[in-house]
Each structure stands twice: as structure tokens, then as C-alpha cells.
Amino acid sequence: MSHPLVLPMLIQMALALLILFVMAPRRVSAIKKAGGPSALKKAGGFAASLNNMGDNFKNQFELPVIFYGLCLLFITIGEATPSIVSAAWVFVVLRVVHSVVQCTNNQIFPTRFGVFLVSSLALVYMLVMAILQAST
């Protein structure tokens, strides 16, 4: 049977790839439509919506890296309590919501900020639990 932290990790990984596979063809199309990379640059670059997607893709390699590390730590040496598994799911679900907001209307405050804050707190909880487990 699989560890309960594997599925949230896989969903977080799939989110990053989904953003990439949605963004990449749109960027290629924008470059072609503009007449090439230099023409696109002269025209002011990508549309704001594509820049938001690019920023969101970069975000998938920031806090989620800590998430992956904590999950792997709990899988290999820690005991993943139900509260830790719940925090992992909160993090992943809110990262999906964060991505949807950033890649659509990008309402930063209060929506995106609130979602980011709560997902970050779930990650902090996981880190504190890992520290407590390591100190016993």
C-alpha cells in the first residue's frame, strides 16, 4: 500500500506540469504571431496573462520544494500523523487554488494572498511537526 503523502506529492508535481503544458503552446503561439522572439520583445513581450502563468510556473519550484522535502522526510524517517497528512492536502489543494487565481484573474488581495498565507501556514505546521519529531 502507498504512503498517504505520496498522492499529494504527485498532485503537486502534476500541477507544475499542467501549468507548463498549458503555458508553453500559448507562448509559442504568441512568438509566432509576433513574428519571432525579437519582434515580440519590441512589441512589449508576452501578454500579462502569459506572464502570470510564467510566474506561477516559477512558483511551483519555490515553496513546493520545501513541501517535497518534508513529505520525503516523513515518508522515510518520520511518522506521518493524520494531522500531517491533512496539512499536506491543505497545502496542495490551496496551491491548486493559488494557481487558478494567478493564471486567471490574478486577484492578489485578498484572494491570492489569503490562499498563499493559509497554504504557507500548512507548510509551517508540517515543518514544526518534523522538528518536534526530530527532537524526540
Side-chain angles (χ1 to χ4, degrees):
M1 175 156 233
S2 180
H3 194 281
L5 290 174
V6 170
L7 187 57
M9 287 177 61
L10 290 173
I11 292 172
Q12 181 62 46
M13 291 175 197
L15 175 63
L17 290 176
L18 176 64
I19 294 163
L20 174 65
F21 291 133
V22 169
M23 177 188 64
R26 292 179 183 183
R27 283 190 165 190
V28 168
S29 176
I31 291 169
K32 285 181 181 179
K33 189 179 282 185
S38 57
L40 179 67
K41 190 173 184 177
K42 279 184 181 179
F46 291 115
S49 61
L50 276 177
N51 285 331
N52 290 342
M53 274 189 153
D55 291 344
N56 187 264
F57 183 68
K58 290 176 206 166
N59 290 345
Q60 302 310 315
F61 301 96
E62 295 171 354
L63 283 183
V65 172
I66 297 169
F67 172 73
Y68 298 135
L70 286 168
C71 286
L72 291 173
L73 180 68
F74 285 119
I75 289 169
T76 57
I77 63 171
E79 183 178 318
T81 64
S83 66
I84 290 168
V85 173
S86 295
W89 277 109
V90 166
F91 179 79
V92 169
V93 168
L94 291 179
R95 293 303 298 177
V96 169
V97 172
H98 182 269
S99 292
V100 169
V101 171
Q102 189 170 17
C103 293
T104 58
N105 68 6
N106 199 28
Q107 182 186 29
I108 295 171
F109 191 79
T111 308
R112 202 174 111 206
F113 175 76
V115 169
F116 176 81
L117 179 63
V118 176
S119 69
S120 298
L121 291 174
L123 195 60
V124 168
Y125 174 79
M126 291 176 69
L127 178 60
V128 168
M129 292 298 100
I131 292 168
L132 290 174
Q133 282 189 19
S135 66
T136 59

